[in-house]
Amino acid sequence: MSEFYTMKIAGLERSLRKFPVNENLDIAAFILFGDTEITVAAASELLKKVPEFDIILTPEAKSIPLAYEMSRQSGKPYVVARKGVKVYMGDPLHVSVRSITTNKVQELYLGDNDVENIKGKKVLIVDDVISTGESLIAVRKLVEQAGGIEVAACAVLAEGDAAKRDDIVFLEPLPLFFK
């Protein structure tokens, strides 16, 4: 039998299914994929809280719908830091990251076109959940390598101790569930 954690996000109630990370810790999984209502509402609420920006940068994959919707609502473009090199990426920038929800080191890449779009621009980093902050560190490195200027990092939820941070913008805290 599955356990759930129920919370309000951008005025909408959601029940998040809990999953074990290890024998001592469960997380409540927040999945934007397929939930258009929460994606639209969260994008709107985050845009009210973030400073002025020129371009959005998001890591692949779960936060792409949020970045798209924030782009659509703001009229500003977005870029995705890809998990692999694509043939159309000339001379890509690269960083490595290990997040709480991934069992191995992941790579993030920006192609030369994306680097050109970020260079000298005010960049808003967008993610679905910030937890340990490892993914955020990697994306911040990409912004720096690309010559962009980070104006803020935002997420729908700040998980665990991330909710105590003052360097991120988020809508709601998400607890960790220790056993």
Side-chain angles (χ1 to χ4, degrees), residues 20-132:
V21 172
N22 58 44
E23 64 276 355
N24 300 314
L25 176 66
D26 287 352
I27 61 169
F30 175 63
I31 311 295
L32 277 172
F33 289 139
D35 194 338
T36 305
E37 182 182 38
I38 200 107
T39 301
V40 171
S44 177
E45 292 305 309
L46 281 170
L47 285 169
K48 292 174 186 175
K49 297 178 86 168
V50 298
E52 183 63 32
F53 62 93
D54 299 317
I55 191 165
I56 294 166
L57 175 60
T58 194
E60 195 173 35
K62 290 190 315 180
S63 55
I64 293 173
L66 179 63
Y68 166 83
E69 184 58 24
M70 290 177 75
S71 172
R72 191 190 69 76
Q73 289 183 25
S74 68
K76 305 287 176 74
Y78 76 101
V79 169
V80 177
R82 303 298 302 265
K83 289 182 179 177
V85 176
K86 307 301 177 192
V87 295
Y88 53 80
M89 295 175 141
D91 194 27
L93 295 180
H94 159 257
V95 295
S96 299
V97 62
R98 179 185 293 276
S99 75
I100 191 172
T101 55
T102 308
N103 290 330
K104 60 180 177 136
V105 173
Q106 289 184 312
E107 311 299 327
L108 291 176
Y109 300 88
L110 282 178
D112 55 355
N113 252 8
D114 294 329
V115 170
E116 193 57 39
N117 288 332
I118 289 172
K119 188 176 184 178
K121 302 281 180 34
K122 295 183 282 186
V123 180
L124 175 64
I125 298 171
V126 172
D127 212 341
D128 58 335
V129 178
I130 295 174
S131 186
T132 63

